[in-house]
């Protein structure tokens, strides 16, 4: 196990460097000049623009910029400063990430509880009325775009019923994040439910299930231990990759509910060509993906004792 973890950690290094370099090159290849954009339509003389670029290091080779940027992150945990207002990127990330993290955790819990729950019901009742109803419901959720689902929830529950506020306040109270979390986790919930249902229906016909039933084991043990542990492996794989997707894919949801999180920062960074801010956000998301991927791989051995890591 220790050797496997060490090998995976070493493999993360080139993946991390390659991903961040690709994002860095893509961001700085966007059209437009972020320094010239500071002056708007009035413009500025070339000497002033050249001076600001020199102070920010934007006049250097692109690979030299990447080296300086990564050196600052690794050695000093310094993500640079914003071009527009000179604010440290770490402060921007510190304000945005906790909000999105709360939203992502709520959405993740929502899709686990209801997605896995519906999948279990559908798998155990395969081919029956409950299973068909769940399949139709999840197919409907998959076919509805996120922004449409968000507008429907706001229209019905905020404007017509008055159960929720249409926008999240600056305090980001827990109750206010429930509706955005449902919107954010709705699509993933449908995929989790269908994946759980398919996996359980398939494992119900496996030889080890017939053997467990033939031995006279209690139904609770047959389903809870033998069926669930083997059926959850593909579901856990999807959930592990979905954690980072929930944090990085909240642009539409946060915009609909006026949430000041990562989504808004990403949109603003792209529109203003704030490369250091955008790369900093993506860097943290890459780390989240890599860590969760390792944890999910280690969890396989807990779910299935036949899996061993040499």
């Amino acid at each position: 196990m220790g050797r496997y973890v060490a090998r995976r950690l070493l493999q993360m290094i080139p993946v991390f460097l390659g991903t961040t370099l690709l994002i860095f090159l893509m961001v700085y290849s966007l059209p437009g000049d972020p320094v010239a954009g500071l002056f708007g339509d009035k413009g500025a003389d070339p000497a002033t623009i050249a001076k600001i670029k020199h102070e920010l290091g934007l006049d250097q080779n692109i690979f030299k910029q990447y080296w300086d940027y990564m050196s600052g992150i690794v050695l000093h945990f310094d993500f640079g400063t914003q071009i527009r207002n000179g604010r440290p990127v770490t402060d921007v990330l510190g304000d945005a990430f906790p909000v999105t993290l709360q939203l992502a955790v709520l959405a993740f819990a929502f899709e686990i509880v209801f997605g896995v729950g519906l999948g279990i019901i559908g798998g155990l009742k395969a081919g029956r009325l409950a299973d068909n109803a769940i399949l139709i419901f999840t197919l409907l959720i998959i076919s509805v775009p996120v922004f449409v689902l968000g507008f429907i929830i706001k229209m019905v529950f905020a404007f017509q019923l008055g159960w929720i506020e249409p926008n999240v306040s600056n305090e980001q109270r827990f109750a206010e994040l429930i509706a955005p979390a449902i919107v954010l986790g709705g699509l993933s919930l449908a995929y989790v439910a269908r994946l759980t249902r398919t996996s359980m229906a398939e494992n119900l016909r496996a030889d080890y299930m017939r053997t467990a039933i033939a031995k006279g084991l209690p139904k609770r043990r047959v389903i809870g231990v033998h069926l669930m542990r083997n059926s959850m492996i593909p579901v856990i794989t999807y959930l592990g990759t979905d954690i980072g997707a929930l944090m990085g894919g909240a642009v539409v949801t946060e915009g609909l509910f006026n949430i000041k999180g990562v989504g808004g920062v990403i949109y603003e960074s792209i529109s203003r060509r704030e490369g250091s801010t955008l790369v900093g956000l993506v860097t943290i998301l890459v780390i989240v993906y890599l860590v969760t991927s390792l944890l999910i791989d280690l969890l396989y051995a807990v779910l299935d004792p036949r899996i061993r890591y040499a």
Side-chain angles (χ1 to χ4, degrees), residues 98-99 101-110 164-165 167-182 259:
V99 179
L101 183 61
Q102 295 179 41
L103 179 62
V105 168
L106 279 176
F108 190 69
F110 173 71
I164 62 173
E165 294 295 329
N167 293 318
V168 176
S169 63
N170 294 330
E171 290 79 13
Q172 287 97 27
R173 291 186 291 268
F174 177 81
E176 296 177 332
L177 294 176
I178 294 178
I182 293 175
I259 301 175

Side-chain angles (χ1 to χ4, degrees), residues 116-150:
V116 175
L118 291 175
I120 292 174
I121 296 174
L124 295 177
K125 305 289 184 180
R128 302 179 186 178
L129 179 61
D131 179 38
N132 293 327
I134 291 173
L135 290 176
I136 293 174
F137 170 73
T138 53
L139 182 61
L140 178 64
I141 296 297
I142 293 174
S143 62
V144 177
V146 174
F147 66 91
V148 174
L149 179 62

